[in-house]
Amino acid sequence: MKILVTGFDPFGGEKINPAIESVKRLPEVIGGAQIVKLEIPTVVHQSLAVIREAIRKEDPDMILSIGQAGGRPDITVERVGINIDDCRIADNAGNQPVDEPIYPEGPDAYFVTLPIKAMVKAMQEAGIPASVSNSAGTFVCNHVTYGVRYLIETEFPGKRSGFIHIPYLPSQAATKKGMPSMELDTIVKGLTVAIEAMIEHQEDVKITGGTIC
Amino acid sequence: MKILVTGFDPFGGEKINPAIESVKRLPEVIGGAQIVKLEIPTVVHQSLAVIREAIRKEDPDMILSIGQAGGRPDITVERVGINIDDCRIADNAGNQPVDEPIYPEGPDAYFVTLPIKAMVKAMQEAGIPASVSNSAGTFVCNHVTYGVRYLIETEFPGKRSGFIHIPYLPSQAATKKGMPSMELDTIVKGLTVAIEAMIEHQEDVKITGGTIC
Amino acid sequence: MKILVTGFDPFGGEKINPAIESVKRLPEVIGGAQIVKLEIPTVVHQSLAVIREAIRKEDPDMILSIGQAGGRPDITVERVGINIDDCRIADNAGNQPVDEPIYPEGPDAYFVTLPIKAMVKAMQEAGIPASVSNSAGTFVCNHVTYGVRYLIETEFPGKRSGFIHIPYLPSQAATKKGMPSMELDTIVKGLTVAIEAMIEHQEDVKITGGTIC
Amino acid sequence: MKILVTGFDPFGGEKINPAIESVKRLPEVIGGAQIVKLEIPTVVHQSLAVIREAIRKEDPDMILSIGQAGGRPDITVERVGINIDDCRIADNAGNQPVDEPIYPEGPDAYFVTLPIKAMVKAMQEAGIPASVSNSAGTFVCNHVTYGVRYLIETEFPGKRSGFIHIPYLPSQAATKKGMPSMELDTIVKGLTVAIEAMIEHQEDVKITGGTIC
C-alpha cells in the first residue's frame, strides 16, 4: 500500500508551517504502507495541480493532506470539504477569491473517505488531543479537502482521501496572545497513529463525534 | 411573496427555545412578503415531515428555519447543510443516530440558496452582531438545513431555503457559566432585517465572510 | 441612603461607552436610596480626582463604579483591586504607565466592600447573566476599584465601594469578530437589582463564586 | 543560592498532576543555584505547613510554586495572591471553604516578589508560550501564592516567592473536549528558563503584560 501525505508551505506571515515540518518527519513506512511525502504551495488550484501530478506519478491508494489551523487546541480530522473559496487573506500567490466555486461543475461538497472516527479514536488512545471537525474553513485547506476528492471522482477512481488540521507549534504561539499549541513530536506521533488507523479501518467505527451546532 | 419561517421547540433540558419564541414575535408582513410561522419538533425526520406538509399547504417562495446555537455570541447565517446525522445528545423523541445519512440517496451536502452575505451585512448595519457560519453542526439544525433543500430539489423545485442560528437568551445564560446571550427583541430585529435582505437580494453580494480554517 | 454611581467615558477608539450610558439610565431612586450619577474620564488619577470631589460634595454611603469589559459575556462583579497600573493601551490623556503603583504608600490590594455574591445572585435570579470576577485587569477600571477604596481608607472612613464590569453593547460587537454583547436595557436592569442587593445586604451571602485558577 | 520549587499532587479526579511531574524533572542545579524539590498536598493550610517545614530545614533564598491550570493554553506567571479561599471543588482532604480568609490577620493581598515580566520574556524568547496572569484563582494555588508570602513576611524575612501555572498535559487533554495542552518537556524547559530569569533579575524588567480588564 502507498499513501501520499501532503503538507503546505508557510503562509499568512509565518516563517514555518508545522504542516510540512510534520510531514517531513513522518516515518518512511507506517503500518506496512509506503509514505510518499509532498510539499504543496498555499495557493488555490496550484496546490491541487501539484497533488494531481504526484497522484499520476506515484499512484497512491490514499491521499492525506495536512494543514495548519492556528487557534485550534487539538488535531482535527475534517469530515467534509465544500465547493467554495472565500478567502479572508490572500494565498501565497496573491489570489483572494470570494465565494467562487472551486470546480463550477462539481457538487456542493464531498465527505472525506477516510475513517475519521477511527483516526480520532486512535490519537486519543495514544494520549494525543484530537477531535472531528465539521468545517475545514473556506481557504486553501478546504480547497484541497474538496479538490483532491474531486480529482479522485473525475480522474482517479477508487482512491480515498482526507484532511487533518494541526495546531500552531509552541514557537509560533509564543509570539501571539493566548494561542494554544502542540509540539512537533506530538503532532508527528498523532499523524502516525492516525495513518495506522487509516490503513487498519476500511470502514469507519461508529462513535459519536458530533456537535449540536 | 410568501415566506415560511420555522422555529424549533425546546430541547436538551431547556424550558424555552428562543427559536420558536423569536419566530412567534416576527411581524406578519416583512418587506411586502407574507410571513407564515411554523413550530417544528426537535426530532429528526419528523421536523422535516412537518415542514413538508406546510410547504404543500402554503406554497411559500422561501423557507427560512431558525435554531438555537447555545454558546455562539452572535446571529449566524449558515452556508451549508451536510448529509449526516451525528447526534451527541438524543432528540426530543429519543433518537440519537450516529453517522447516518439524512437521505441515503442525497448528495453529500447542499449550500443554502439564500443571500447569506447580504443577510449578515443587513444585520451588522442594523447594529446586530452577525456572521456567516460554515457548519450547522450535525444535530437537528443541520438535519433541517440539508433536508429542506433536499425536499425542494426532489419535490418543490424553484423554492429557496436557508438556516439561521441564534444565541441563548439572557435568562438561559443566567443559569450557565460564561455563556454569551442575546435579548429576544434583538433577535427578532435581526431576523426581520435578514428577511428583508432575503427579499431584496436575488443574488448574494460579494463580501468575504470566510475563515482560514 | 445615598449611592454614588460612576461611569467611564468612551475609550480605546470606541464612540460610546455602555458604562456611562447605563449609569445615565438608572432610576433616580433605587430601594429607597438616592442615586447620584457621575461621568468620569478614562484617565489614571484624574478619574479618582473627580470621584474624590464628588464624595466630598455628596457624602454618599456607598460608591459603585461601572466599566466596560469588552469580550466578557456577562456582568461581572469585581472582588479585588490591585495596587498597580500596567496599561496595554494609553488612557484618554495619553498616559500608559507600566508596572507603577497607583498609590506607592498603599497596600498591595483591597477587597471591595460590597456584598459581591449577593449582587451576583440577585442578577442571576432576575434572569441576567452575572458572575464574580477575581481580576479587574490592570488598566483604569482596576485603578478606580483600588483607588476609591484607598480614598475611603485615608479620607472617608466607613464608606463602602466596589466595581462592576459590563459587556459590549450589540452595536459595538456588530463591528467586531465573535464578540459577546448585552443590551443596554438588560445592563440597566442588572445594575438596578445589583444596587438593591447592595442596600439589602450589609453582610455578603456565602455562595461559592470561586474558580480553580 | 538555593531555590525551593514546589509541585502539587494530583487533584480534581486527575491521576497525574503536571505540576509535581515537571518539578521532579527539573535539573538539580539551574544558573548556579541549587534546586530543592518538594511535593505538596492539594490541601488548604496543609500545603503551607509542608512548605514552612521545608523553608525551615532548607533555608532557600527563593520559593517558586508550580500548579496546574487546566484550560489555560500557556505558562502563566502569577502577579498576585489574594487573602481568600473560595473553592468550587473540595481539596484533597475534603475541605471546601467559601469566602474565608487564608490568614484572618493578613492583608487583602500580596504581590509576588519574583521578576514576573523577565520570567515571561525569557520563556517567550525560548519559544515557549507564556504570559502574566492577574489572578491565581481562589483555590489551593492562590492559597499557596498568598500563603508563602505571608510566611515570609511573618517568619522568614528577605526571601522571595512566586507562583507559575502550567497547562494540562496532552494525555490529560486527550480525554477532554477542546482543551489546550503542553508537553512535559516543554513545561520543564519553560520552568528552567523562568528560574534562570529569577536568578538573573533582582529587579523586574519594564514590559507591559497588562490587560484592559
Side-chain angles (χ1 to χ4, degrees):
Chain A
M1 187 180 286
K2 194 190 272 191
I3 302 176
L4 175 65
V5 186
T6 79
F8 285 106
D9 61 4
F11 70 94
E14 298 288 329
K15 283 174 189 157
I16 193 171
N17 189 331
I20 184 57
E21 297 306 320
S22 59
V23 169
K24 279 182 195 164
R25 279 160 186 76
L26 285 176
E28 304 300 316
V29 176
I30 297 177
Q34 182 193 346
I35 304 302
V36 179
K37 304 167 184 183
L38 180 69
E39 179 163 346
I40 60 174
T42 302
V43 177
V44 294
H45 293 296
Q46 201 178 319
S47 48
L48 291 171
V50 172
I51 293 173
R52 187 180 180 227
E53 203 50 45
I55 297 176
R56 277 189 175 157
K57 185 180 153 203
E58 298 285 352
D59 190 29
D61 302 276
M62 296 193 269
I63 302 99
L64 175 67
S65 298
I66 313 298
Q68 167 193 296
R72 293 194 188 174
D74 61 347
I75 298 182
T76 47
V77 183
E78 297 297 340
R79 192 196 290 265
V80 64
I82 62 176
N83 190 12
I84 202 97
D85 287 328
D86 186 10
C87 299
R88 201 161 49 79
I89 61 172
D91 70 15
N92 283 352
N95 306 298
Q96 194 175 356
V98 171
D99 289 344
E100 294 178 13
I102 302 168
Y103 289 105
E105 67 278 28
D108 286 359
Y110 284 119
F111 286 124
V112 309
T113 46
L114 301 176
I116 62 173
K117 299 289 180 73
M119 293 161 75
V120 166
K121 184 168 178 276
M123 288 192 275
Q124 288 176 341
E125 287 176 357
I128 296 164
S131 59
V132 168
S133 164
N134 294 305
S135 172
T138 58
F139 191 51
V140 189
C141 289
N142 170 71
H143 185 92
V144 162
T145 309
Y146 180 90
V148 172
R149 177 77 194 279
Y150 180 88
L151 294 177
I152 290 171
E153 293 301 313
T154 53
E155 293 189 59
F156 306 108
K159 298 187 191 304
R160 297 161 73 195
S161 68
F163 199 97
I164 291 180
H165 265 121
I166 58 176
Y168 280 136
L169 298 176
S171 60
Q172 295 177 289
T175 64
K176 298 171 179 69
K177 201 177 150 58
M179 279 293 155
S181 63
M182 191 175 278
E183 283 289 351
L184 193 55
D185 284 353
T186 312
I187 294 171
V188 171
K189 188 178 158 200
L191 296 181
T192 304
V193 298
I195 291 170
E196 286 170 353
M198 280 164 53
I199 296 164
E200 192 180 339
H201 294 267
Q202 193 68 22
E203 298 269 305
D204 202 356
V205 294
K206 285 257 179 183
I207 311 162
T208 183
T211 50
I212 295 173
C213 64
Chain B
M1 187 180 286
K2 195 189 272 190
I3 302 176
L4 175 65
V5 187
T6 79
F8 286 105
D9 60 4
F11 70 95
E14 298 288 330
K15 283 174 190 157
I16 193 171
N17 189 330
I20 184 57
E21 297 305 321
S22 58
V23 170
K24 279 182 197 164
R25 279 161 185 76
L26 286 175
E28 303 301 315
V29 175
I30 297 177
Q34 183 193 345
I35 304 301
V36 178
K37 304 167 184 183
L38 180 69
E39 178 162 346
I40 60 175
T42 303
V43 177
V44 294
H45 293 296
Q46 201 179 321
S47 48
L48 291 171
V50 172
I51 294 174
R52 188 181 179 226
E53 203 51 44
I55 297 177
R56 277 187 176 159
K57 185 180 153 203
E58 298 284 352
D59 191 30
D61 302 278
M62 296 193 268
I63 301 100
L64 174 67
S65 299
I66 313 298
Q68 166 191 297
R72 292 194 188 175
D74 60 349
I75 298 182
T76 47
V77 183
E78 297 297 340
R79 190 196 290 267
V80 65
I82 62 177
N83 190 11
I84 202 98
D85 288 327
D86 187 9
C87 299
R88 201 160 50 78
I89 61 171
D91 70 15
N92 283 352
N95 306 300
Q96 193 174 359
V98 171
D99 289 345
E100 293 178 14
I102 301 167
Y103 290 106
E105 67 278 30
D108 286 359
Y110 284 119
F111 286 123
V112 309
T113 45
L114 301 177
I116 60 174
K117 298 291 180 74
M119 293 161 75
V120 166
K121 184 167 177 278
M123 289 192 275
Q124 288 176 341
E125 287 177 357
I128 295 164
S131 59
V132 168
S133 164
N134 295 304
S135 172
T138 58
F139 191 50
V140 189
C141 289
N142 171 71
H143 185 91
V144 162
T145 309
Y146 180 90
V148 172
R149 176 77 194 280
Y150 180 88
L151 294 177
I152 289 171
E153 294 301 314
T154 54
E155 294 188 59
F156 306 108
K159 299 186 190 304
R160 298 160 73 195
S161 69
F163 198 98
I164 292 181
H165 264 121
I166 58 175
Y168 279 137
L169 298 176
S171 59
Q172 294 177 289
T175 63
K176 298 172 179 67
K177 201 178 148 57
M179 280 292 155
S181 63
M182 190 175 279
E183 284 289 351
L184 194 54
D185 284 354
T186 312
I187 294 170
V188 171
K189 187 177 160 200
L191 296 181
T192 303
V193 298
I195 290 170
E196 286 169 352
M198 281 165 54
I199 295 165
E200 193 180 341
H201 294 267
Q202 193 68 23
E203 299 269 303
D204 202 358
V205 294
K206 285 257 179 184
I207 310 162
T208 182
T211 51
I212 295 172
C213 66
Chain C
M1 187 181 287
K2 196 189 271 189
I3 302 176
L4 175 65
V5 186
T6 79
F8 285 106
D9 60 5
F11 70 95
E14 297 289 329
K15 282 174 191 158
I16 193 171
N17 189 330
I20 184 57
E21 298 306 321
S22 58
V23 169
K24 280 182 197 164
R25 279 160 184 77
L26 285 175
E28 302 302 315
V29 175
I30 297 176
Q34 181 192 345
I35 304 301
V36 179
K37 304 168 184 182
L38 181 68
E39 178 161 347
I40 60 175
T42 302
V43 177
V44 294
H45 294 295
Q46 201 179 320
S47 48
L48 290 171
V50 173
I51 294 174
R52 187 180 178 227
E53 203 50 46
I55 298 177
R56 276 188 176 158
K57 184 179 153 205
E58 298 284 351
D59 190 31
D61 302 278
M62 296 194 267
I63 302 99
L64 174 67
S65 299
I66 313 299
Q68 166 192 298
R72 293 194 188 173
D74 60 349
I75 298 182
T76 47
V77 183
E78 296 296 340
R79 189 196 292 266
V80 64
I82 62 177
N83 190 10
I84 202 97
D85 287 327
D86 186 9
C87 300
R88 201 160 50 79
I89 62 171
D91 70 14
N92 283 353
N95 306 299
Q96 193 174 359
V98 171
D99 289 344
E100 294 178 14
I102 301 167
Y103 289 106
E105 66 278 28
D108 286 0
Y110 284 120
F111 285 124
V112 309
T113 45
L114 301 177
I116 61 174
K117 298 291 179 71
M119 293 160 75
V120 166
K121 184 168 176 279
M123 289 191 275
Q124 289 175 341
E125 287 176 357
I128 296 164
S131 59
V132 168
S133 164
N134 294 304
S135 172
T138 58
F139 191 51
V140 188
C141 289
N142 170 71
H143 185 90
V144 162
T145 309
Y146 179 90
V148 173
R149 176 78 193 279
Y150 180 87
L151 293 177
I152 289 171
E153 293 301 313
T154 53
E155 293 188 60
F156 307 108
K159 298 185 190 305
R160 297 160 73 196
S161 69
F163 198 97
I164 291 181
H165 265 119
I166 58 176
Y168 279 136
L169 298 176
S171 59
Q172 294 177 290
T175 63
K176 299 172 179 66
K177 201 179 149 56
M179 280 292 155
S181 62
M182 191 175 278
E183 283 289 351
L184 193 56
D185 284 353
T186 312
I187 293 170
V188 171
K189 188 179 159 199
L191 296 181
T192 303
V193 298
I195 290 170
E196 286 169 351
M198 281 165 53
I199 296 165
E200 193 181 341
H201 293 266
Q202 192 69 23
E203 297 268 305
D204 202 357
V205 295
K206 286 257 178 184
I207 310 161
T208 184
T211 51
I212 295 173
C213 64
Chain D
M1 187 179 286
K2 195 189 272 191
I3 302 176
L4 176 65
V5 186
T6 78
F8 285 105
D9 61 5
F11 70 95
E14 297 288 329
K15 283 174 190 158
I16 193 172
N17 189 330
I20 184 58
E21 298 306 319
S22 59
V23 169
K24 280 182 196 163
R25 279 160 186 77
L26 286 175
E28 303 301 316
V29 175
I30 296 177
Q34 182 192 345
I35 305 301
V36 179
K37 303 166 185 183
L38 180 69
E39 178 163 346
I40 60 175
T42 303
V43 177
V44 294
H45 293 295
Q46 201 179 320
S47 49
L48 291 170
V50 172
I51 294 174
R52 188 181 178 224
E53 204 50 46
I55 297 176
R56 276 188 176 155
K57 185 179 153 204
E58 298 286 350
D59 190 30
D61 301 277
M62 295 193 269
I63 301 99
L64 175 66
S65 298
I66 313 297
Q68 166 192 298
R72 292 193 188 176
D74 60 347
I75 298 182
T76 47
V77 184
E78 296 297 340
R79 191 196 290 265
V80 65
I82 61 176
N83 190 11
I84 202 98
D85 287 327
D86 186 9
C87 299
R88 202 160 50 78
I89 62 171
D91 70 14
N92 283 353
N95 306 298
Q96 194 175 357
V98 171
D99 288 345
E100 294 178 14
I102 301 168
Y103 289 105
E105 66 278 29
D108 285 0
Y110 284 119
F111 285 124
V112 308
T113 45
L114 301 177
I116 61 173
K117 299 290 179 75
M119 293 160 76
V120 166
K121 184 168 178 277
M123 289 192 275
Q124 288 177 341
E125 287 176 358
I128 296 165
S131 59
V132 168
S133 164
N134 294 304
S135 172
T138 58
F139 191 50
V140 189
C141 289
N142 170 71
H143 185 91
V144 162
T145 309
Y146 180 89
V148 172
R149 177 75 193 280
Y150 180 88
L151 293 177
I152 289 171
E153 293 301 314
T154 53
E155 294 188 58
F156 307 107
K159 298 187 190 304
R160 296 161 73 196
S161 69
F163 198 97
I164 290 181
H165 265 121
I166 58 176
Y168 280 136
L169 299 176
S171 60
Q172 295 177 288
T175 63
K176 298 170 179 69
K177 200 178 149 57
M179 279 292 155
S181 62
M182 191 176 277
E183 283 289 351
L184 193 55
D185 284 354
T186 312
I187 293 170
V188 170
K189 188 178 160 199
L191 296 181
T192 303
V193 299
I195 291 170
E196 286 169 352
M198 280 165 54
I199 295 165
E200 193 180 339
H201 294 267
Q202 192 69 22
E203 298 268 305
D204 202 357
V205 295
K206 286 257 180 184
I207 311 161
T208 183
T211 50
I212 295 173
C213 64

